Structures are given as structure tokens and as C-alpha cells.
Amino acid sequence: MIDTNAPDISFVIIGYNEGKHIRSCLESVRAINLPGARYEIIYVDGGSRDNSVQEARSVVGVRVLGGDKRRRAAENRNLGAEHALGRYIQFIDGDMHLDAEWPAIAMAFLDLHPEAGVVFGMLEEINPSFAFRVLQLDWNPSEGEADTCGGAAMHRRDVFEKAGRFPEDVTTGEEPLLCWRIRNQTSHKIWYLDKRMAQHDLGYTSFRDYWKRCTTNGRAYIEIASRCWKTNDPFWKPNVIRNFTWAAIYIAALIAFALAPLFLKLALVALVAGILIRLTFKTWRKGNPFTVAIGYAIHCYFAKIPLAWGQLKWLLSAKP
């Protein structure tokens, strides 16, 4: 029997020590433009040590869960989903500010496309600096079908449940592994819409933050690839091989540069410049500013180093 009083959509927001962001995040959900639709707002706290829980409880209409112990993101999202009643679930992180028009756009898309199990949109970095404009390109692909998405996305609740929710037995990369299950076990698609879903505060304050995130991404690549390596869809296997290959090329190039005569050094510099210029123009032709395209090309190739390092650390620590 269908519960006619159940909400159309559940918003599940998770956070850990997001006291300075969580009120703004929750208020952005309350300010959505969704006429005629019923919705609920659930905040799940991951054991914050600041005032996150108090801030969340002070926002009208928010149900607060968790806060009693330290939980990882996957556990928080699953706890929220366990209490969600909507046919759609929009997951959001506590450091995001939801766009008022996004829920209506995403719900309309899922209503019209039953083959889509998940839809997500553009994350706009709040920090306007050059570095953040470059990094933002990583999580905003071209509109259309995608292999994976981040934690912030709108899911069909029945598909989400059928896929087994967010896997809690991985150290990182639970979102792409869930997407792999949705694509392979439920035969639904992951879809990206070129519409702003939310504003996001990445929160980098130093190069160390950048390096740490890249090494974490490297661990995610190889851990998830190891789960899918021998399947018909060996997800992220090419990425793992490519990251290790580029790292080996860098080491060989550095040795060659140190030992080679001047004309070979110049040839090597020209080769590197050609590779960077090729990706720069490819990114620029997609409508990005030329300076951002240059920065993105440098980031893409430099990031192979911490990505490979993260993969290697996972291999060395993995249990046989």
C-alpha cells in the first residue's frame, strides 16, 4: 500500500565538524524552489567535536541523527537513508550550499528517464582563486551518461537499496563502487546534468591538502579497481595502470635529464611542453579560460605522482 503522506524526496545531509557551514547548508535546503512537493530534511552527524549538532538542531524542520560516535561518510549516508521515506534521496555534504532550483530539475529528469538511477549536477567551488577554478574541472564532466559520481547526488531510493547502499567495507571510494553496482547489478545509468547542483567549499589551505587528497584518490582508484579487476567492467583498472605508468615515465625522464647531453635535455623539455600544450588546447576548446586550461594540464600530469604514491601505499598495506 502506497503511503500518500510520504515525502516525494528526502534530503540527507552529512557532516563532521562542520559547525561553520552546517547552518548555511541546511538553510539552503529549506530555501529550495519545489512547489507542490513534499520533502524531509535529515542531518546525520559523524561524531563532531564542535557545535555542528547544536547548529543543526536550531534549524527548523531538520531531523538530527547520529552524533553519538565517530562514523565515516558511507555509514552516515546509510544511516540517513535508513530513515528516509522519499522515493528520491538527495545526498549532500555539510560543506555545500544546495542550489534552490536543482531538486526540481533533478526530480523532473528522473521522472522522465526511468533508466537513470542517479543524477548529479555541477559543483561550483566557492573559493574564486585560480587554483580552485582549476581543480573544479575534475568533478564537472560533460553532460550525459557518466561512470560515477561523488557523494552529492540524487538517487532513486529503490535502486539505491537494490544496489546495497554505500559499501562500508572500503576505506575510501564508496561512491564509485556504489555507482559500479548500480550500473552492473541494477542496469541503471548514472547521469550528469550541466546545471548547478551546489556550491562547495573544498577547504584547501596548502599544498599539503592537495597532496593528501590526491594520495587518497590514488588509494580509492586501486582499492575499487581491485574489487572490479576481473569482472566484465574492470572499473578504474586503466586508471591504476596509467598512474603507475606515468610515475615510472617521470622517474626515467628525471634520470635521463640528469645524464643526457644538452640537446637531449632540450628535446625532453620540448616533448613535455608538447604534451602540456595538447591538453591545454583540448581543455580550452571546451570553453574554459586559457590560463585555467594551462593550470589544469599541469595539474593532470603532476597529480599522477601523488596518485601513484597513494596506490603504492595501498598495495604495501593491503592484506594478502
Side-chain angles (χ1 to χ4, degrees):
M1 182 177 181
I2 299 175
D3 183 0
T4 56
N5 294 317
D8 300 295
I9 180 171
S10 301
F11 293 91
V12 174
I13 301 95
I14 66 167
Y16 174 70
N17 288 345
E18 294 290 355
K20 65 180 181 179
H21 295 128
I22 195 62
R23 173 179 285 275
S24 173
C25 175
L26 295 172
E27 291 290 0
S28 73
V29 178
R30 295 186 70 245
I32 58 173
N33 183 19
L34 203 60
R38 298 178 300 275
Y39 63 90
E40 61 178 349
I41 305 174
I42 301 171
Y43 170 65
V44 185
D45 189 81
S48 296
R49 297 180 180 180
D50 63 1
N51 64 337
S52 296
V53 173
Q54 292 88 339
E55 286 289 309
R57 285 176 175 158
S58 68
V59 179
V60 176
V62 176
R63 183 156 38 128
V64 179
L65 303 173
D68 54 323
K69 63 179 182 179
R70 186 73 177 96
R71 291 186 182 86
R72 294 183 300 157
E75 297 172 299
N76 287 334
R77 293 190 183 108
N78 287 342
L79 178 59
E82 185 179 332
H83 290 80
L85 299 175
R87 57 193 175 97
Y88 299 139
I89 303 177
Q90 171 72 53
F91 292 102
I92 320 167
D93 292 346
D95 59 358
M96 295 179 181
H97 190 279
L98 188 68
D99 187 274
E101 306 302 323
W102 168 254
I105 293 171
M107 289 177 67
F109 180 86
L110 291 176
D111 285 342
L112 292 172
H113 297 84
E115 74 280 5
V118 185
V119 63
F120 67 110
M122 178 176 64
L123 281 179
E124 182 180 80
E125 182 57 43
I126 292 174
N127 192 313
S129 71
F130 173 77
F132 288 94
R133 290 167 66 197
V134 168
L135 294 174
Q136 181 175 289
L137 299 183
D138 270 343
W139 47 80
N140 292 326
S142 300
E143 180 163 297
E145 189 175 351
D147 287 334
T148 186
C149 65
M154 186 178 292
H155 290 248
R156 294 185 189 275
R157 184 157 66 97
D158 57 341
V159 174
F160 175 78
E161 295 291 345
K162 186 178 179 180
R165 303 182 181 179
F166 287 99
E168 298 180 7
D169 60 342
V170 292
T171 57
T172 186
E174 64 274 5
E175 302 99 331
L177 183 53
L178 172 62
C179 288
W180 183 89
R181 290 176 177 175
I182 288 171
R183 290 188 291 105
N184 287 277
Q185 297 177 4
T186 77
S187 298
H188 283 81
K189 296 179 179 180
I190 317 297
W191 207 269
Y192 173 75
L193 297 179
D194 192 20
K195 304 290 184 182
R196 188 170 72 177
M197 178 175 62
Q199 291 181 312
H200 176 245
D201 184 5
L202 190 59
Y204 284 3
T205 59
S206 66
F207 177 77
R208 181 181 179 182
D209 293 328
Y210 170 81
W211 182 273
K212 183 178 180 180
R213 185 180 180 91
C214 287
T215 55
T216 299
N217 288 344
R219 290 199 302 271
Y221 275 137
I222 195 165
E223 183 168 5
I224 303 310
S226 69
R227 301 288 187 99
C228 312
W229 199 272
K230 296 182 179 180
T231 68
N232 293 328
D233 180 13
F235 186 51
W236 275 355
K237 180 179 179 179
N239 302 70
V240 169
I241 295 172
R242 189 159 50 241
N243 291 334
F244 277 140
T245 300
W246 274 105
I249 290 172
Y250 292 160
I251 293 172
L254 285 173
I255 295 173
F257 190 83
L259 301 177
L262 179 59
F263 77 94
L264 286 180
K265 289 181 179 181
L266 293 175
L268 186 59
V269 170
L271 176 62
V272 171
I275 292 172
L276 292 176
I277 289 171
R278 180 176 178 273
L279 182 54
T280 295
F281 275 92
K282 181 179 179 182
T283 306
W284 175 63
R285 283 196 297 267
K286 292 181 179 180
N288 298 293
F290 193 72
T291 53
V292 172
I294 295 173
Y296 185 68
I298 295 171
H299 154 67
C300 283
Y301 284 102
F302 176 81
K304 304 297 183 187
I305 301 171
L307 286 170
W309 177 239
Q311 292 177 181
L312 180 61
K313 288 176 66 177
W314 185 86
L315 276 177
L316 294 175
S317 64
K319 296 179 180 179

